[in-house]
Amino acid sequence: MTEAPNAPLAAAIARNPALVREISEHPERFRMLTGERPTGRLHVGHYFGTLQNRLRLQDLGVELFVLLADYQVFTDRDISAEIGQNVLECMADYLAIGLDPERCTIFAHSYVPELNQLMLPFLSLVSVSELQRNPTVKEEIRSSNRPQVNGLMFTYPVHQAADILFCKGNLVPGGKDQLPHVEVTRDIARRFNERFGAGKAYFPEPEILLSNAPLLLGVDGKKMGKSLNNSINLGATAEQTAKLIKGAKTDSIREVTYDPDQRPEVSNLVLLGSLAAGQSPEEFAAACADSGGAGLKKAVTEAVNEFFRPIRERRSALLTDPGHLMSVLKTGNEHASGIARQTLTDVRRLMGTDYYPLGNA
């Protein structure tokens, strides 16, 4: 019987409550891979959408690997002059929010060549048609607005499988959009084990930890993006934050309510304010009920600036010493490289390509 297209999502949703419970009870059993492409500054959407959850899992005791996927920048853009600065900014963001290099490994694609080499044998385990019909790849191609795409775009899911499996990651956080990539990784792990594992499961089949983080829109009511000038960067000043929120879209109804379907722009501001204030959206809206759009924006500005004030102070201090930031990344790169070398050595042995006597060369 052919599996329904939504079966993996249904299975992930059904599995999620038990998975959350297992992580809370036995965090030491999990190794999580997460990260982002260094294509611009991180913003409040990243913080409330993913970064805050990383901190929670780190504090629980989950072993955390955070990838700066610099090679993936080239899937949909041609220039690389800003990558170094973007990496530096990301490092400052990570450390300022509380990611602890003593408890997590922060590393970059381009400095862990053994990880990237894993993509070659992994490519032999998937078909071209599987990559072509991957819905996440299709969406990335559509949103890139490019007349043609390069080969790296099609190998994106396989490269991501190498990201996850090089450290034998068994947990990947994400939403339903990331599920197709995780399914490719599970397929690659299973096929490698069946073909080369001699009856043993060398690679784990990772699970997705579905996020229930609320989706924040940009101040223009559209999807928040690094390059769209519609987001509040983590490093924005209080004045820049106030200006962005002041220019945010609202509507003509004076009473402030939380109604995402009927009042998406107002509700988006309410949601942002509530996340920063540690309240439910309904509570935050009730406190601003008679304030109108101007009063709502004032309340959101105060909440956001107060919440991010200590993070911004730490971030500014960290950026005065870029050498320290790069030393943290260097340490993470070295740790990840050591793990990747061992994994690649094992893969060569299992595949029978360890015939050259490197030790006697």
Side-chain angles (χ1 to χ4, degrees):
M1 179 181 291
T2 301
E3 192 173 37
N6 63 348
L9 178 58
I13 292 172
R15 166 68 174 140
N16 214 56
L19 181 59
V20 170
R21 189 165 55 251
E22 289 173 23
I23 294 169
S24 298
E25 294 173 353
H26 298 287
E28 74 283 354
R29 296 178 182 174
F30 294 90
R31 177 176 276 186
M32 186 176 82
L33 187 285
T34 185
E36 45 261 313
R37 300 194 304 164
T39 56
R41 288 190 171 192
L42 300 182
H43 50 63
V44 297
H46 292 117
Y47 182 85
F48 291 116
T50 60
L51 299 178
Q52 197 174 49
N53 191 45
R54 292 179 198 175
L55 292 177
R56 183 183 67 82
L57 292 167
Q58 172 188 265
D59 292 342
L60 275 175
V62 172
E63 189 174 3
L64 186 63
F65 284 75
V66 182
L67 169 64
L68 288 162
D70 51 5
Y71 276 164
Q72 295 301 344
V73 171
F74 300 101
T75 56
D76 60 0
R77 57 197 72 200
D78 301 321
I79 59 173
S80 59
E82 298 176 349
I83 288 182
Q85 184 60 36
N86 288 341
V87 166
L88 192 70
E89 298 275 353
C90 272
M91 290 299 298
D93 288 333
Y94 288 161
L95 300 190
I97 66 168
L99 286 181
D100 182 358
E102 297 296 323
R103 294 184 290 165
C104 71
T105 301
I106 305 172
F107 68 103
H109 260 159
S110 56
Y111 287 88
V112 187
E114 298 86 357
L115 180 163
N116 301 296
Q117 192 171 342
L118 283 173
M119 185 167 66
L120 292 175
F122 285 178
L123 279 168
S124 73
L125 299 170
V126 293
S127 68
V128 173
S129 62
E130 284 177 312
L131 296 178
Q132 286 176 329
R133 64 173 179 260
N134 184 290
T136 306
V137 171
K138 288 181 179 180
E139 175 57 25
E140 290 285 348
I141 291 173
R142 187 196 65 76
S143 62
S144 69
N145 294 318
R146 294 170 67 89
Q148 59 183 12
V149 296
N150 57 42
L152 188 59
M153 178 69 83
F154 282 102
T155 64
Y156 196 121
V158 183
H159 203 177
Q160 196 165 71
D163 297 338
I164 298 166
L165 296 178
F166 95 94
C167 63
K168 297 188 179 176
N170 59 0
L171 187 66
V172 181
K176 63 180 181 180
D177 292 343
Q178 284 76 47
L179 184 58
H181 281 341
V182 176
E183 286 299 306
V184 170
T185 302
R186 290 173 59 84
D187 288 341
I188 287 173
R190 183 172 61 256
R191 291 168 188 176
F192 182 93
N193 294 337
E194 291 172 351
R195 187 175 300 181
F196 303 112
K200 297 181 181 179
Y202 178 75
F203 287 117
E205 294 183 32
E207 297 188 273
I208 189 167
L209 176 63
L210 290 174
S211 170
N212 58 1
L215 176 63
L216 279 170
L217 301 175
V219 293
D220 57 359
K222 300 177 182 178
K223 181 180 179 181
M224 192 177 291
K226 295 176 184 175
S227 60
L228 299 177
N229 297 317
N230 68 350
S231 58
I232 302 168
N233 296 329
L234 297 187
T237 65
E239 292 74 19
Q240 290 169 337
T241 300
K243 183 177 180 180
L244 281 165
I245 294 175
K246 184 177 181 180
K249 286 188 173 183
T250 54
D251 57 31
S252 59
I253 304 172
R254 178 170 177 78
E255 182 183 8
V256 176
T257 59
Y258 183 66
D259 187 351
D261 292 331
Q262 300 300 319
R263 307 182 68 188
E265 292 91 357
V266 168
S267 296
N268 188 58
L269 281 175
V270 169
L271 177 58
L272 174 58
S274 70
L275 290 169
Q279 298 176 322
S280 72
E282 292 77 12
E283 289 172 334
F284 193 86
C288 304
D290 300 323
S291 303
L296 171 61
K297 291 178 181 181
K298 182 175 183 292
V300 173
T301 299
E302 291 174 351
V304 170
N305 280 335
E306 179 59 26
F307 182 87
F308 286 102
R309 178 180 52 78
I311 292 174
R312 289 166 173 173
E313 290 174 354
R314 289 193 294 270
R315 188 181 188 281
S316 294
L318 286 162
L319 283 171
T320 64
D321 189 359
H324 169 66
L325 294 173
M326 289 299 97
S327 71
V328 172
L329 180 60
K330 180 175 182 291
T331 300
N333 289 339
E334 290 171 348
H335 182 226
S337 291
I339 293 172
R341 279 195 298 273
Q342 183 59 59
T343 300
L344 187 58
T345 297
D346 291 343
V347 165
R348 283 173 172 155
R349 173 178 53 81
L350 291 167
M351 295 182 69
T353 59
D354 61 343
Y355 49 82
Y356 187 77
L358 293 176
N360 300 320

